[in-house]
mmCIF file of all heavy atoms in Angstrom:
data_model
loop_
_atom_site.group_PDB
_atom_site.id
_atom_site.type_symbol
_atom_site.label_atom_id
_atom_site.label_comp_id
_atom_site.label_asym_id
_atom_site.label_seq_id
_atom_site.Cartn_x
_atom_site.Cartn_y
_atom_site.Cartn_z
ATOM 1 N N ALA F 78 4.783 -60.353 -44.815
ATOM 2 C CA ALA F 78 5.852 -60.759 -43.898
ATOM 3 C C ALA F 78 7.144 -60.075 -44.336
ATOM 4 O O ALA F 78 7.921 -59.577 -43.494
ATOM 5 C CB ALA F 78 6.009 -62.278 -43.906
ATOM 6 N N THR F 79 7.437 -60.048 -45.638
ATOM 7 C CA THR F 79 8.646 -59.429 -46.121
ATOM 8 C C THR F 79 8.615 -57.953 -45.806
ATOM 9 O O THR F 79 9.646 -57.346 -45.430
ATOM 10 C CB THR F 79 8.782 -59.667 -47.621
ATOM 11 O OG1 THR F 79 8.753 -61.078 -47.884
ATOM 12 C CG2 THR F 79 10.031 -59.073 -48.180
ATOM 13 N N GLN F 80 7.481 -57.319 -45.998
ATOM 14 C CA GLN F 80 7.345 -55.891 -45.739
ATOM 15 C C GLN F 80 7.583 -55.631 -44.253
ATOM 16 O O GLN F 80 8.246 -54.658 -43.882
ATOM 17 C CB GLN F 80 5.952 -55.425 -46.161
ATOM 18 C CG GLN F 80 5.786 -53.900 -46.067
ATOM 19 C CD GLN F 80 4.410 -53.476 -46.491
ATOM 20 O OE1 GLN F 80 3.474 -54.262 -46.550
ATOM 21 N NE2 GLN F 80 4.274 -52.189 -46.824
ATOM 22 N N GLN F 81 7.039 -56.459 -43.376
ATOM 23 C CA GLN F 81 7.220 -56.279 -41.938
ATOM 24 C C GLN F 81 8.689 -56.442 -41.584
ATOM 25 O O GLN F 81 9.215 -55.673 -40.762
ATOM 26 C CB GLN F 81 6.358 -57.274 -41.163
ATOM 27 C CG GLN F 81 6.352 -56.992 -39.664
ATOM 28 C CD GLN F 81 5.821 -55.624 -39.327
ATOM 29 O OE1 GLN F 81 4.823 -55.183 -39.871
ATOM 30 N NE2 GLN F 81 6.462 -54.951 -38.406
ATOM 31 N N GLU F 82 9.374 -57.423 -42.181
ATOM 32 C CA GLU F 82 10.807 -57.585 -41.925
ATOM 33 C C GLU F 82 11.576 -56.386 -42.366
ATOM 34 O O GLU F 82 12.495 -55.929 -41.666
ATOM 35 C CB GLU F 82 11.332 -58.820 -42.632
ATOM 36 C CG GLU F 82 10.863 -60.145 -42.065
ATOM 37 C CD GLU F 82 11.293 -61.334 -42.890
ATOM 38 O OE1 GLU F 82 12.032 -61.198 -43.865
ATOM 39 O OE2 GLU F 82 10.882 -62.457 -42.532
ATOM 40 N N SER F 83 11.212 -55.830 -43.497
ATOM 41 C CA SER F 83 11.900 -54.618 -44.013
ATOM 42 C C SER F 83 11.647 -53.459 -43.075
ATOM 43 O O SER F 83 12.567 -52.674 -42.796
ATOM 44 C CB SER F 83 11.380 -54.281 -45.408
ATOM 45 O OG SER F 83 11.703 -55.298 -46.320
ATOM 46 N N ILE F 84 10.447 -53.334 -42.588
ATOM 47 C CA ILE F 84 10.114 -52.237 -41.621
ATOM 48 C C ILE F 84 10.948 -52.417 -40.352
ATOM 49 O O ILE F 84 11.503 -51.447 -39.836
ATOM 50 C CB ILE F 84 8.625 -52.207 -41.311
ATOM 51 C CG1 ILE F 84 7.847 -51.743 -42.591
ATOM 52 C CG2 ILE F 84 8.325 -51.358 -40.136
ATOM 53 C CD1 ILE F 84 6.356 -51.870 -42.464
ATOM 54 N N ASP F 85 11.053 -53.655 -39.865
ATOM 55 C CA ASP F 85 11.825 -53.908 -38.677
ATOM 56 C C ASP F 85 13.308 -53.580 -38.874
ATOM 57 O O ASP F 85 13.958 -52.954 -38.009
ATOM 58 C CB ASP F 85 11.695 -55.381 -38.207
ATOM 59 C CG ASP F 85 10.262 -55.672 -37.750
ATOM 60 O OD1 ASP F 85 9.501 -54.736 -37.457
ATOM 61 O OD2 ASP F 85 9.936 -56.892 -37.673
ATOM 62 N N GLN F 86 13.833 -54.001 -40.008
ATOM 63 C CA GLN F 86 15.220 -53.703 -40.325
ATOM 64 C C GLN F 86 15.435 -52.214 -40.420
ATOM 65 O O GLN F 86 16.497 -51.680 -39.970
ATOM 66 C CB GLN F 86 15.651 -54.396 -41.590
ATOM 67 C CG GLN F 86 15.792 -55.894 -41.472
ATOM 68 C CD GLN F 86 16.070 -56.596 -42.789
ATOM 69 O OE1 GLN F 86 16.102 -55.978 -43.830
ATOM 70 N NE2 GLN F 86 16.307 -57.923 -42.724
ATOM 71 N N LEU F 87 14.529 -51.527 -41.056
ATOM 72 C CA LEU F 87 14.652 -50.072 -41.197
ATOM 73 C C LEU F 87 14.607 -49.401 -39.821
ATOM 74 O O LEU F 87 15.380 -48.482 -39.564
ATOM 75 C CB LEU F 87 13.498 -49.518 -42.080
ATOM 76 C CG LEU F 87 13.475 -48.055 -42.311
ATOM 77 C CD1 LEU F 87 14.764 -47.574 -43.036
ATOM 78 C CD2 LEU F 87 12.248 -47.649 -43.120
ATOM 79 N N GLN F 88 13.772 -49.924 -38.923
ATOM 80 C CA GLN F 88 13.726 -49.361 -37.555
ATOM 81 C C GLN F 88 15.061 -49.549 -36.837
ATOM 82 O O GLN F 88 15.531 -48.644 -36.163
ATOM 83 C CB GLN F 88 12.577 -50.014 -36.781
ATOM 84 C CG GLN F 88 12.357 -49.396 -35.440
ATOM 85 C CD GLN F 88 11.868 -47.992 -35.525
ATOM 86 O OE1 GLN F 88 11.064 -47.652 -36.380
ATOM 87 N NE2 GLN F 88 12.347 -47.130 -34.636
ATOM 88 N N VAL F 89 15.638 -50.730 -37.029
ATOM 89 C CA VAL F 89 16.964 -51.017 -36.411
ATOM 90 C C VAL F 89 18.010 -50.030 -36.963
ATOM 91 O O VAL F 89 18.803 -49.474 -36.201
ATOM 92 C CB VAL F 89 17.373 -52.472 -36.625
ATOM 93 C CG1 VAL F 89 18.828 -52.695 -36.266
ATOM 94 C CG2 VAL F 89 16.470 -53.426 -35.826
ATOM 95 N N VAL F 90 17.984 -49.854 -38.263
ATOM 96 C CA VAL F 90 18.974 -48.950 -38.881
ATOM 97 C C VAL F 90 18.748 -47.504 -38.380
ATOM 98 O O VAL F 90 19.676 -46.805 -38.115
ATOM 99 C CB VAL F 90 18.857 -49.021 -40.430
ATOM 100 C CG1 VAL F 90 19.639 -47.902 -41.094
ATOM 101 C CG2 VAL F 90 19.379 -50.375 -40.874
ATOM 102 N N GLN F 91 17.492 -47.105 -38.248
ATOM 103 C CA GLN F 91 17.202 -45.748 -37.739
ATOM 104 C C GLN F 91 17.673 -45.602 -36.305
ATOM 105 O O GLN F 91 18.224 -44.600 -35.911
ATOM 106 C CB GLN F 91 15.706 -45.451 -37.863
ATOM 107 C CG GLN F 91 15.228 -45.209 -39.233
ATOM 108 C CD GLN F 91 13.727 -44.989 -39.349
ATOM 109 O OE1 GLN F 91 12.970 -45.345 -38.437
ATOM 110 N NE2 GLN F 91 13.281 -44.383 -40.438
ATOM 111 N N ASP F 92 17.462 -46.638 -35.497
ATOM 112 C CA ASP F 92 17.948 -46.602 -34.102
ATOM 113 C C ASP F 92 19.500 -46.498 -34.091
ATOM 114 O O ASP F 92 20.041 -45.701 -33.290
ATOM 115 C CB ASP F 92 17.511 -47.833 -33.343
ATOM 116 C CG ASP F 92 15.989 -47.872 -33.104
ATOM 117 O OD1 ASP F 92 15.346 -46.797 -33.269
ATOM 118 O OD2 ASP F 92 15.466 -48.953 -32.768
ATOM 119 N N GLN F 93 20.179 -47.289 -34.932
ATOM 120 C CA GLN F 93 21.610 -47.197 -34.981
ATOM 121 C C GLN F 93 22.074 -45.818 -35.430
ATOM 122 O O GLN F 93 23.050 -45.291 -34.920
ATOM 123 C CB GLN F 93 22.153 -48.271 -35.942
ATOM 124 C CG GLN F 93 21.992 -49.666 -35.400
ATOM 125 C CD GLN F 93 22.418 -50.720 -36.422
ATOM 126 O OE1 GLN F 93 22.591 -50.450 -37.561
ATOM 127 N NE2 GLN F 93 22.527 -51.972 -35.963
ATOM 128 N N LEU F 94 21.369 -45.248 -36.403
ATOM 129 C CA LEU F 94 21.711 -43.906 -36.881
ATOM 130 C C LEU F 94 21.556 -42.873 -35.751
ATOM 131 O O LEU F 94 22.412 -41.994 -35.618
ATOM 132 C CB LEU F 94 20.839 -43.547 -38.117
ATOM 133 C CG LEU F 94 21.071 -42.200 -38.732
ATOM 134 C CD1 LEU F 94 22.487 -42.110 -39.283
ATOM 135 C CD2 LEU F 94 20.063 -41.912 -39.838
ATOM 136 N N GLN F 95 20.495 -43.015 -35.001
ATOM 137 C CA GLN F 95 20.276 -42.087 -33.859
ATOM 138 C C GLN F 95 21.437 -42.223 -32.839
ATOM 139 O O GLN F 95 21.936 -41.225 -32.319
ATOM 140 C CB GLN F 95 18.939 -42.340 -33.180
ATOM 141 C CG GLN F 95 17.742 -41.886 -33.966
ATOM 142 C CD GLN F 95 17.681 -40.384 -34.116
ATOM 143 O OE1 GLN F 95 18.227 -39.646 -33.314
ATOM 144 N NE2 GLN F 95 17.057 -39.934 -35.187
ATOM 145 N N THR F 96 21.838 -43.451 -32.586
ATOM 146 C CA THR F 96 22.942 -43.710 -31.640
ATOM 147 C C THR F 96 24.214 -43.104 -32.153
ATOM 148 O O THR F 96 24.956 -42.436 -31.428
ATOM 149 C CB THR F 96 23.113 -45.219 -31.454
ATOM 150 O OG1 THR F 96 21.889 -45.756 -30.964
ATOM 151 C CG2 THR F 96 24.212 -45.506 -30.418
ATOM 152 N N VAL F 97 24.505 -43.292 -33.471
ATOM 153 C CA VAL F 97 25.711 -42.709 -34.080
ATOM 154 C C VAL F 97 25.659 -41.197 -33.996
ATOM 155 O O VAL F 97 26.692 -40.555 -33.737
ATOM 156 C CB VAL F 97 25.880 -43.215 -35.515
ATOM 157 C CG1 VAL F 97 26.927 -42.430 -36.270
ATOM 158 C CG2 VAL F 97 26.218 -44.700 -35.513
ATOM 159 N N ARG F 98 24.489 -40.629 -34.255
ATOM 160 C CA ARG F 98 24.383 -39.176 -34.162
ATOM 161 C C ARG F 98 24.678 -38.641 -32.753
ATOM 162 O O ARG F 98 25.348 -37.648 -32.581
ATOM 163 C CB ARG F 98 22.991 -38.691 -34.614
ATOM 164 C CG ARG F 98 22.789 -38.757 -36.113
ATOM 165 C CD ARG F 98 21.398 -38.285 -36.489
ATOM 166 N NE ARG F 98 21.232 -38.323 -37.950
ATOM 167 C CZ ARG F 98 20.059 -38.192 -38.525
ATOM 168 N NH1 ARG F 98 18.970 -38.013 -37.829
ATOM 169 N NH2 ARG F 98 19.971 -38.260 -39.858
ATOM 170 N N ARG F 99 24.116 -39.365 -31.773
ATOM 171 C CA ARG F 99 24.363 -38.943 -30.390
ATOM 172 C C ARG F 99 25.853 -39.067 -30.014
ATOM 173 O O ARG F 99 26.398 -38.186 -29.405
ATOM 174 C CB ARG F 99 23.521 -39.774 -29.426
ATOM 175 C CG ARG F 99 22.107 -39.237 -29.275
ATOM 176 C CD ARG F 99 21.339 -40.054 -28.265
ATOM 177 N NE ARG F 99 20.702 -41.037 -29.136
ATOM 178 C CZ ARG F 99 20.153 -42.184 -28.785
ATOM 179 N NH1 ARG F 99 20.134 -42.513 -27.531
ATOM 180 N NH2 ARG F 99 19.662 -43.029 -29.646
#
Side-chain angles (χ1 to χ4, degrees):
T79 303
Q80 186 179 20
Q81 187 61 42
E82 289 174 6
S83 297
I84 290 171
D85 293 343
Q86 290 174 355
L87 180 61
Q88 186 65 39
V89 168
V90 169
Q91 286 177 342
D92 292 344
Q93 290 174 348
L94 181 62
Q95 287 293 335
T96 303
V97 167
R98 284 181 180 168
R99 275 182 270 164

